[in-house]
Amino acid sequence: MSYLHLAIVSPLLFAIFIPFFHNGFRRVHTGWFALPLPILLFIYFLSFLPETMSQKTVMASLEWIPSLGMNFTAKVDGLGLLFALLISGIGALVILYSIYYLAKDKERLNHFYVYLLLFMGAMLGVVLSDNLIVMYAFWELTSFSSFLLIGYWYERERSRYGAQKSMLITVFGGLAMLGGIILLYVMTGTFSMTEIILSANQIFNHALFIPALLCILLGAFTKSAQFPFYIWLPDAMEAPTPVSAYLHSATMVKAGIYLVARFTPVFGESSVWFLLVGGVGLLTLIWGSFFAVKQTDLKAILAFSTVSQLGLIMSLLGVGAAALHFEALDDNIFTIAIMAAIFHLINHATFKGSLFMAAGIVDHETGTRDIRNLGGLIHLMPITFTVSLIGAFSMAGIPPFNGFLSKEMFFTAMIQVTEMNIFNLETWGILFPVLAWIASIFTFVYSMIFIFKTFTGKFQPEKLAKKPHEAPIGMLISPLILVSLVIIFGFFPNLLSNSLIAPAMAAILPNLLGAGDEFDVHIYFWHGPNLELLMTLGVMVLGYILFKTYPKWGNIYKRIPEGLSLNRLYDGLLKGSQTGSNKLMNRYMTGSIRSYLLYIFGFFIILLLGVLLRENAFKVDTSNVSDIGIYELVLVLFIAVGSISILFVKSRMTSIILLGSVGYTVSLFYVLFRAPDLALTQLVIETISVSLFLLCFYHLPKLRKLETRMRFRLTNAVISIGVGAVVTVIALSAHSNKLFDSISQYYVENTYVEAAGKNMVNVILVDFRGFDTLFEITVLAIASLGIFGMIKLKNRGKEG
Amino acid sequence: MLEVVIWIALLCCSLSMLGLIYRVIKGPSTADRVIALDSIGVNLIAITALFSVANKSTAFLDIILLIGILAFIGTVAFAKYLERGEIIENEPNR
């Protein structure tokens, strides 16, 4: 176990001690105990930077289940390290923020930090695992800890609903991903990501390639809230704001992005991958940005905005995968999409984290998050306003901040789609930049709504639950750090380029890495008046007009969305499956033994007859049948007459007597076929069971004593005749297909010699096969004890 | 010669069994049926005995005795059931 493994699981281990800290040091906010760990982890992960910058990967393996090829192999490359830094860095900031956000004496802080640390460890495990099964295990752990965090205020109904919804959707995707991992294992014979990438070329034409691709993408799309699985994310906003900031903007929703980036070398050359990742990403982008404008809740705006920005990153990854088609790196301009994706990934984590924290501050200090009640807070909360302004401008892509740079690169990448000469993109590739541009306009509009509806306009103190004032400084530290990063990355983007982005690109596009330095050229190249700049200007102008005229055209939302609501579809599906399965259950589980017997015998007929017909096994062979004598015929006649008349008699007493006579005739059959022991036993047992029947019928309740003939039902008749026919056919066929001689000759020869007995039946019962007899004795003992118990204990229960 | 005699005797027994089974099915009262059943038992004794003779076997002689005992016990039980409504009476002081 290396330090790296320890670092990955340290949050999980540390979570064990949180309750002790919480209970032991009541006066200190539990968050202070949790805070040092992510800081330490962040510093530890920073120490890997020199190695990833020189294109090295750090691998450390720990045996888990080596016989199944499952080892906890930790791998640090550019992509994993980028995510690990995001997780630990933003994790530290979020814990610091939550210390001031969550009250010490009102909240169950031990729960909160245990869940949060669980999540942090799980997330680190996802991004740093090389073995896919281990990655899947951590992946599910993120789903579970996210479920716990969303349902943190479990006494609220909306929280429980949101937690359940996100659980169902992400676990659905997670299971699909497991299927994809198994398919990959079937194709490549390994769970190791590194080895799968090496064998990517061999599996490209495999029959399971497309199913594996779809399964993996399903996992990524559900986790990263892509269309149409984004619906859990807005409902996850019921979580405490630090959770929303951490999980639902910076880390967990990027697990799907990570997955797509990670699998790009494997699947990227497929046109299905390009279309699905690029297309769904773009659709999510425009859908999310369009509906974000409609929201009135600050966190709902941010949730839809997250959906839309994730779609942006996803579409960039899809477009960037097309770079794999062009071998020559010299003129491979398409790698810029991957670079834009990574850059925007970092940018989004910074500005979205700060915006969530700002929204949390507004909520915390005014008691509401509804923009219809807010307004005019600019003088009361100047620092929060500054934070929000920088974050929102960066989100909208306005020049001095980092969002501008990634938005420019996004446009560049999208314009390049039109220049690609693969997948018929010459004809309809123009859709990519146009849709991206429209989505950016909506992004601009909701960013402006977020900032100006909250902080400018009329101050409405009567609508607010609290008297608003600026947040305590502790709460502002984290968002301030994040917005400083927004500004720093905006002015000095090359801080990131060589340290984080280039290694991450090398991890996503490993096969293009003939000359490793080539990626850097594009990163420096971000200036110049060009088409992208014009597009940004257009976004700002049109966005401003749309923002100003929003009251006029906002009505269209009242008409469109209701019909297109995917939430309604989800609720309907959930409810439909519940009522559907209920109906199904009620339909066939009637509670009547009669119908269950009908099912049992019906399937009996279908299965046995079906097998007989399919195997063509029916055969009648009369070669080894002995002659039928007159005695047998007469006895068969007796039994047949007795059995059939049982069906038609009126009185129960008569049917008992008829049953008895059938039993006695059977004993006569034993006599006829020379089985004296059987005949003896049969006679005694028949007598006893007849008297037991009599005993039962005497005790039947008076009301039901009305004796009627059995009613006739056609299904019952068909089924019973069918069972009889099937059994007869099988008996005939079995007798005709005798393959081996009997082994009874051994008993005939050895009964006296070996076992010193002349009665062969008895010698078999107690000598050759005495074990059966022992347990039949046991059966009788149990039956008699059971009867005794039923009779005696019932009476005792009445007395007691 | 013996074969023929046994054959005829078995035939007679079978015919009487048929008649008795008719009575068991038809019998207007339960008592008729019980008597018919008892007689079936006696017929069974006869058939078993004839069969033993025909097969030259002594293995079935136990069965003759057993049928005799059972037919007696069974008939007594039925009779008591019809008379008292139960077969084994509870002791009055329990």
Side-chain angles (χ1 to χ4, degrees):
Chain A
M1 190 157 183
S2 62
Y3 282 118
L4 185 56
H5 288 112
L6 197 65
I8 293 172
V9 296
S10 62
L12 307 181
L13 297 176
F14 197 66
I16 298 171
F17 299 102
I18 288 290
F20 296 115
F21 287 129
H22 178 74
N23 294 333
F25 305 90
R26 281 278 177 192
R27 286 159 14 120
V28 187
H29 194 288
T30 316
W32 290 116
F33 297 111
L35 184 60
L37 183 71
I39 297 177
L40 281 177
L41 284 176
F42 186 73
I43 295 167
Y44 174 71
F45 285 125
L46 276 181
S47 72
F48 284 98
L49 268 181
E51 298 190 45
T52 55
M53 278 168 74
S54 53
Q55 313 290 12
K56 275 190 241 162
T57 53
V58 182
M59 299 271 273
S61 194
L62 182 70
E63 286 199 342
W64 182 33
I65 314 175
S67 58
L68 296 178
M70 298 178 197
N71 294 312
F72 186 4
T73 308
K75 174 183 169 186
V76 183
D77 60 356
L79 187 66
L81 184 66
L82 165 67
F83 273 91
L85 287 174
L86 276 181
I87 292 160
S88 51
I90 297 189
L93 295 178
V94 161
I95 288 180
L96 178 65
Y97 175 77
S98 70
I99 291 172
Y100 291 92
Y101 187 84
L102 294 173
K104 192 168 53 184
D105 36 4
K106 286 181 202 154
E107 305 283 357
R108 298 174 299 273
L109 292 173
N110 49 345
H111 294 211
F112 183 82
Y113 288 105
V114 167
Y115 302 158
L116 202 71
L117 286 176
L118 270 186
F119 172 79
M120 190 184 289
M123 205 59 212
L124 284 175
V126 166
V127 298
L128 295 178
S129 295
D130 186 55
N131 190 289
L132 288 177
I133 291 291
V134 177
M135 200 265 295
Y136 171 73
F138 282 117
W139 182 277
E140 290 298 2
L141 193 55
T142 63
S143 293
F144 286 121
S145 47
S146 162
F147 168 79
L148 291 169
L149 283 167
I150 296 169
Y152 174 65
W153 287 309
Y154 55 77
E155 65 278 5
R156 297 185 192 168
E157 217 217 307
R158 292 297 305 168
S159 296
R160 297 198 301 268
Y161 173 79
Q164 188 205 33
K165 192 173 184 178
S166 70
M167 182 77 163
L168 285 176
I169 293 177
T170 53
V171 168
F172 159 73
L175 285 176
M177 191 183 88
L178 179 63
I181 290 171
I182 291 168
L183 289 180
L184 276 176
Y185 180 75
V186 170
M187 286 189 282
T188 61
T190 175
F191 283 124
S192 164
M193 194 64 230
T194 321
E195 289 172 32
I196 289 175
I197 291 175
L198 287 179
S199 57
N201 290 329
Q202 296 153 30
I203 63 171
F204 186 68
N205 289 318
H206 199 284
L208 294 174
F209 180 78
I210 294 293
L213 187 157
L214 292 178
C215 284
I216 297 277
L217 272 190
L218 207 55
F221 284 174
T222 49
K223 199 75 161 183
S224 275
Q226 296 297 296
F227 186 88
F229 305 111
Y230 71 88
I231 50 173
W232 65 267
L233 187 60
D235 279 307
M237 291 302 125
E238 296 300 322
T241 303
V243 173
S244 307
Y246 188 40
L247 272 69
H248 307 126
S249 70
T251 53
M252 188 179 90
V253 289
K254 294 203 171 110
I257 304 273
Y258 167 80
L259 198 69
V260 167
R262 193 46 105 193
F263 275 100
T264 296
V266 183
F267 296 118
E269 284 198 56
S270 154
S271 59
V272 180
W273 179 268
F274 174 83
L275 287 181
L276 274 179
V277 179
V280 171
L282 211 57
L283 181 62
T284 314
L285 164 65
I286 193 155
W287 187 282
S289 61
F290 181 66
F291 283 105
V293 179
K294 172 198 168 193
Q295 308 302 322
T296 54
D297 179 44
L298 284 181
K299 277 176 83 176
I301 297 177
L302 291 178
F304 276 95
S305 139
T306 304
V307 170
S308 136
Q309 304 277 320
L310 289 170
L312 187 155
I313 300 174
M314 198 66 98
S315 66
L316 280 172
L317 284 177
V319 170
L324 293 172
H325 284 268
F326 302 95
E327 291 297 328
L329 198 59
D330 308 331
D331 53 345
N332 199 339
I333 48 175
F334 305 108
T335 53
I336 192 173
I338 297 285
M339 180 172 73
I342 299 165
F343 191 37
H344 195 69
L345 178 81
I346 303 168
N347 293 346
H348 178 253
T350 53
F351 67 68
K352 193 52 67 69
S354 66
L355 283 176
F356 264 112
M357 289 174 185
I361 290 171
V362 170
D363 184 18
H364 203 263
E365 303 305 331
T366 62
T368 182
R369 296 195 311 246
D370 195 325
I371 52 170
R372 287 169 298 192
N373 299 337
L374 292 168
L377 296 176
I378 185 165
H379 302 295
L380 294 161
M381 307 168 83
I383 305 176
T384 314
F385 168 70
T386 316
V387 166
S388 310
L389 186 80
I390 296 170
F393 274 23
S394 175
M395 183 159 75
I398 292 173
F401 309 111
N402 58 4
F404 168 70
L405 298 172
S406 44
K407 186 66 62 82
E408 292 277 274
M409 293 199 307
F410 170 57
F411 285 149
T412 311
M414 287 296 149
I415 291 168
Q416 278 166 1
V417 173
T418 56
E419 296 165 11
M420 287 183 194
N421 48 5
I422 43 171
F423 316 141
N424 294 329
L425 282 173
E426 304 90 346
T427 46
W428 51 270
I430 189 72
L431 270 179
F432 276 77
V434 171
L435 286 179
W437 188 65
I438 297 172
S440 300
I441 297 173
F442 282 113
T443 306
F444 187 90
V445 174
Y446 70 69
S447 302
M448 294 307 111
I449 289 178
F450 180 87
I451 185 94
F452 291 113
K453 290 269 159 97
T454 310
F455 292 100
T456 60
K458 216 172 69 174
F459 181 48
Q460 301 160 301
E462 70 280 358
K463 285 189 181 171
L464 302 179
K466 296 177 186 172
K467 195 171 151 36
H469 54 82
E470 186 57 272
I473 184 67
M475 220 170 187
L476 288 167
I477 294 174
S478 302
L480 280 175
I481 292 175
L482 284 172
V483 290
S484 353
L485 286 176
V486 168
I487 297 171
I488 291 169
F489 293 158
F491 284 105
F492 308 102
N494 294 321
L495 279 178
L496 293 172
S497 58
N498 279 330
S499 55
L500 284 174
I501 299 175
M505 283 176 77
I508 298 174
L509 303 170
N511 301 333
L512 292 178
L513 202 71
D517 299 2
E518 211 70 30
F519 289 131
D520 304 342
V521 179
H522 293 296
I523 294 172
Y524 290 115
F525 183 74
W526 55 274
H527 268 305
N530 45 17
L531 181 61
E532 293 88 319
L533 198 64
L534 281 178
M535 281 169 82
T536 304
L537 283 177
V539 164
M540 283 158 69
V541 172
L542 269 178
Y544 183 74
I545 296 170
L546 276 181
F547 170 61
K548 277 293 167 195
T549 56
Y550 175 65
K552 283 176 191 154
W553 60 274
N555 285 334
I556 59 163
Y557 283 109
K558 283 182 186 144
R559 285 176 219 155
I560 307 167
E562 285 310 310
L564 286 173
S565 170
L566 286 169
N567 282 320
R568 187 172 289 180
L569 181 70
Y570 166 83
D571 290 336
L573 270 180
L574 204 61
K575 208 166 174 207
S577 56
Q578 275 170 6
T579 51
S581 53
N582 252 340
K583 267 184 196 158
L584 187 69
M585 289 288 188
N586 291 337
R587 185 110 206 153
Y588 79 94
M589 280 197 166
T590 54
S592 147
I593 290 178
R594 186 168 295 167
S595 41
Y596 300 155
L597 285 177
L598 273 186
Y599 307 147
I600 292 171
F601 286 123
F603 276 100
F604 177 88
I605 295 172
I606 292 169
L607 286 180
L608 292 181
L609 207 61
V611 170
L612 269 182
L613 289 178
R614 207 189 61 173
E615 303 288 328
N616 210 3
F618 179 65
K619 182 172 142 195
V620 178
D621 178 14
T622 50
S623 61
N624 56 0
V625 173
S626 50
D627 296 329
I628 301 170
I630 184 77
Y631 311 125
E632 287 95 334
L633 276 181
V634 171
L635 285 183
V636 164
L637 195 71
F638 284 167
I639 289 184
V641 168
S643 317
I644 292 170
S645 41
I646 290 175
L647 298 177
F648 296 100
V649 294
K650 212 172 143 191
S651 128
R652 285 187 180 126
M653 190 63 89
T654 320
S655 53
I656 293 174
I657 291 169
L658 278 171
L659 204 62
S661 71
V662 168
Y664 287 131
T665 324
V666 168
S667 75
L668 211 56
F669 252 118
Y670 290 145
V671 172
L672 192 62
F673 290 138
R674 294 180 187 79
D677 295 300
L678 281 181
L680 278 174
T681 320
Q682 168 71 16
L683 279 169
V684 179
I685 295 297
E686 192 61 39
T687 312
I688 292 172
S689 41
V690 165
S691 37
L692 283 177
F693 269 121
L694 287 176
L695 197 70
C696 293
F697 280 3
Y698 173 70
H699 286 288
L700 278 181
K702 290 262 187 306
L703 271 178
R704 288 291 186 92
K705 255 188 169 172
L706 202 69
E707 290 186 337
T708 48
R709 188 166 292 167
M710 238 171 26
R711 271 179 300 167
F712 180 76
R713 278 208 185 85
L714 187 64
T715 27
N716 294 1
V718 168
I719 294 245
S720 54
I721 290 170
V723 169
V726 165
V727 171
T728 311
V729 164
I730 286 176
L732 282 177
S733 305
H735 187 262
S736 306
N737 282 323
K738 201 169 242 172
L739 298 175
F740 306 107
D741 288 336
S742 163
I743 57 164
S744 57
Q745 197 56 37
Y746 172 82
Y747 294 125
V748 175
E749 283 163 7
N750 288 298
T751 300
Y752 189 69
V753 183
E754 296 282 337
K758 285 179 180 165
N759 186 333
M760 201 172 94
V761 174
N762 290 357
V763 166
I764 289 175
L765 282 180
V766 297
D767 273 317
F768 288 125
R769 307 195 45 184
F771 273 119
D772 298 349
T773 314
L774 174 64
F775 289 103
E776 275 150 23
I777 292 169
T778 317
V779 167
L780 281 181
I782 292 170
S784 52
L785 283 175
I787 292 167
F788 180 80
M790 277 196 294
I791 294 169
K792 280 291 171 190
L793 294 182
K794 187 194 83 180
N795 289 343
R796 188 180 296 169
K798 253 178 208 164
E799 284 157 18
Chain B
M1 188 64 200
L2 188 64
E3 294 279 309
V4 180
V5 169
I6 288 171
W7 199 85
I8 293 170
L10 274 171
L11 193 69
C12 293
C13 286
S14 310
L15 287 177
S16 93
M17 282 272 273
L18 272 183
L20 288 166
I21 284 181
Y22 172 76
R23 190 43 60 198
V24 169
I25 297 166
K26 194 72 190 170
S29 73
T30 309
D32 290 316
R33 294 191 175 107
V34 174
I35 295 296
L37 204 61
D38 191 46
S39 309
I40 287 178
V42 177
N43 264 300
L44 280 178
I45 293 177
I47 290 173
T48 314
L50 286 169
F51 193 75
S52 302
V53 176
N55 276 318
K56 300 188 176 59
S57 159
T58 55
F60 301 104
L61 299 182
D62 301 344
I63 294 172
I64 294 171
L65 289 175
L66 188 73
I67 297 176
I69 296 166
L70 288 180
F72 171 70
I73 294 174
T75 313
V76 168
F78 263 117
K80 193 171 178 189
Y81 174 75
L82 292 173
E83 180 81 12
R84 298 271 178 89
E86 54 189 342
I87 297 166
I88 301 166
E89 287 165 78
N90 284 336
E91 287 170 37
N93 56 355
R94 271 181 78 193

